[in-house]
Amino acid sequence: VNQILLLLLILTVCAILYNKVHQVPSALKNETVDLESPEELEEEIPVVICAAAGRIGAAVAAISSIYSNTEANVLFYIVGLKTTIPHIRKWIENSKLKEIKFKVVEFNPMVLKGKIRQDASRPELLQPLNFVRFYLPLLIQKHEKVIYLDDDIIVQGDIQELYDTKLAAGHAAAFSDDCDLPSTHEMVRSVGMQNTYMGFLDYRKQAIRDLGISPSTCSFNPGVFVANMTEWKHQRITKQLEKWMQRNVEENLYSSTLGGGVATSPMLIVFHGKYSTINPMWHIRHLGWSPDTRYSEHFLQEAKLLHWNGRYKPWDYPSVHTDLWENWFIPDPSGKFKLTRPDS
């Protein structure tokens, strides 16, 4: 019996030693899986951009520039109206952008009923998709952090850098201050661009004066921002924006005759003193404000993001620095969208 027990003990020890020598440790197994499929661990970067009728080529160029300049795991949320969705989907699926990760989201303009004051001076500013940025939590469900971009931009840097923008505790978004980049000041003055609240709100109205915001306060541009969806929902940002939209319908507190039209002003009110800032080089703007004023080529090459905010868009004529924009433009496979050029 003792010999049998001794034999069993020897066999047990041999089995344990064999397993230790030949079995792959579980931690090493996990590392191997991670190395073979890094995308499973890579954080998804959601980028929201609108594709409006007559401007789909702008959204395509913006997406192309982002996708071409990053290795990050970007998911594009392309927002359109029911009539434009087939066009944008076909454009992407029949071009080199077919490799991107994207979701097409339909925006229902009925949510804006009774909230927009009609103004004929710049009707393009009243297009429903201009207000998509107000409703991000309704369109984006599963992400904590989101990048929103206007369509009239191109990205020259790695979008991961913009996504990594730090938002202070209690802040639902990060914007670019209109006073943050000394290099732009001379250009802004030369074309009469406003960069304070005075240029966006009607300080003759008591409701605006009651806000207690100095008219000389530096404004910000909501065409490029990083948002924290948890804070946005907690602070009921969308409801606050809708409140000021409705008050404008009743009291005409701001209009498209002022600097920022009707989408910027509610955001200036709601986010006053409660937002973080993004790196100034991640939002070089005013390129569409005048067809005559130009930045230096060196400055533009250093910029991470270029924004043609204003009337003069790079797919139209006249406009400035169109060569930088056209680097990322992908022709429309259907031939519907065409660039407007002097010789066209």
Side-chain angles (χ1 to χ4, degrees):
V1 173
N2 290 337
Q3 288 179 338
I4 294 172
L5 290 174
L6 180 60
L7 179 61
L8 289 173
L9 179 61
I10 292 171
L11 290 174
T12 302
V13 171
C14 288
I16 293 171
L17 290 173
Y18 181 88
N19 286 336
K20 285 191 174 182
V21 171
H22 293 279
Q23 191 174 36
V24 179
S26 60
L28 184 56
K29 282 184 178 179
N30 291 338
E31 288 174 11
T32 303
V33 171
D34 294 345
L35 290 172
E36 289 178 352
S37 54
E39 288 186 3
E40 292 182 8
L41 292 179
E42 192 177 8
E43 187 174 10
E44 209 167 50
I45 298 179
V47 175
V48 178
I49 194 162
C50 296
R55 297 171 61 120
I56 296 178
V60 166
I63 293 168
S64 172
S65 69
I66 296 165
Y67 180 66
S68 301
N69 286 302
T70 188
E71 296 294 328
N73 183 21
V74 180
L75 172 60
F76 293 97
Y77 283 85
I78 304 169
V79 187
L81 301 180
K82 188 174 183 178
T83 54
T84 62
I85 284 176
H87 189 186
I88 184 65
R89 188 181 292 279
K90 183 178 179 181
W91 199 328
I92 289 173
E93 293 176 348
N94 290 277
S95 72
K96 65 181 183 182
L97 291 181
K98 62 187 176 183
E99 302 298 329
I100 70 171
K101 291 172 61 177
F102 73 100
K103 293 183 179 181
V104 176
V105 181
E106 180 181 344
F107 182 69
N108 185 354
M110 288 304 294
V111 300
L112 301 173
K113 187 175 181 180
K115 301 183 182 75
I116 301 177
R117 184 184 183 88
Q118 296 302 312
D119 194 318
S121 60
R122 289 192 66 185
E124 75 275 12
L125 296 176
L126 303 177
Q127 295 302 314
L129 294 182
N130 279 339
F131 302 92
V132 163
R133 72 198 85 190
F134 291 11
Y135 296 94
L136 293 181
L138 302 182
L139 303 170
I140 311 299
Q141 301 295 330
K142 66 174 185 174
H143 299 284
E144 167 75 9
K145 199 174 185 183
V146 174
I147 295 174
Y148 172 87
L149 300 174
D150 276 353
D151 61 357
D152 51 354
I153 63 101
I154 61 165
V155 171
Q156 301 184 134
D158 186 341
I159 198 71
Q160 181 76 53
E161 294 180 26
L162 181 59
Y163 185 74
D164 289 341
T165 298
K166 303 295 184 185
L167 274 68
H171 286 175
F175 302 96
S176 288
D177 279 332
D178 281 331
C179 306
D180 64 4
L181 201 58
S183 304
T184 68
H185 289 181
E186 184 176 346
M187 178 181 179
V188 170
R189 284 196 300 269
S190 70
V191 297
M193 179 78 177
Q194 291 288 338
N195 63 352
T196 64
Y197 274 58
M198 176 66 83
F200 298 88
L201 305 177
D202 188 348
Y203 275 84
R204 295 172 299 179
K205 302 296 173 66
Q206 187 62 44
I208 297 300
R209 294 198 299 272
D210 287 345
L211 290 170
I213 303 173
S214 168
S216 62
T217 300
C218 185
S219 55
F220 59 81
N221 187 298
V224 174
F225 65 89
V226 182
N228 180 311
M229 291 292 92
T230 300
E231 279 296 335
W232 191 291
K233 288 181 279 192
H234 175 70
Q235 298 180 31
R236 299 171 61 86
I237 296 294
T238 297
K239 289 294 183 185
Q240 292 188 59
L241 292 167
E242 287 184 325
K243 181 190 81 170
W244 285 103
M245 292 169 74
Q246 289 168 330
R247 288 198 66 174
N248 183 58
V249 170
E250 299 162 3
E251 304 174 49
N252 195 20
L253 304 176
Y254 50 84
S255 74
S256 59
T257 57
L258 295 173
V262 292
T264 297
S265 300
M267 297 193 80
L268 289 177
I269 295 171
V270 171
F271 283 100
H272 173 252
K274 295 184 293 185
Y275 65 91
S276 300
T277 56
I278 66 176
N279 183 329
M281 296 304 287
W282 267 101
H283 195 180
I284 304 304
R285 46 211 181 274
H286 311 316
L287 275 76
W289 198 255
S290 167
D292 303 315
T293 306
R294 289 175 170 266
Y295 286 110
S296 74
E297 292 299 326
H298 174 73
F299 180 70
L300 293 178
Q301 292 297 332
E302 295 294 316
K304 304 288 188 177
L305 181 149
L306 303 177
H307 188 183
W308 279 263
N309 59 309
R311 296 173 184 264
Y312 302 96
K313 305 302 185 185
W315 55 90
D316 281 335
Y317 181 83
S319 57
V320 297
H321 302 296
T322 54
D323 55 325
L324 294 174
W325 183 86
E326 281 191 48
N327 283 339
W328 308 109
F329 175 68
I330 298 172
D332 183 359
S334 71
K336 296 176 183 177
F337 182 94
K338 299 180 186 299
L339 302 181
T340 303
R341 294 296 181 255
D343 55 352
S344 62

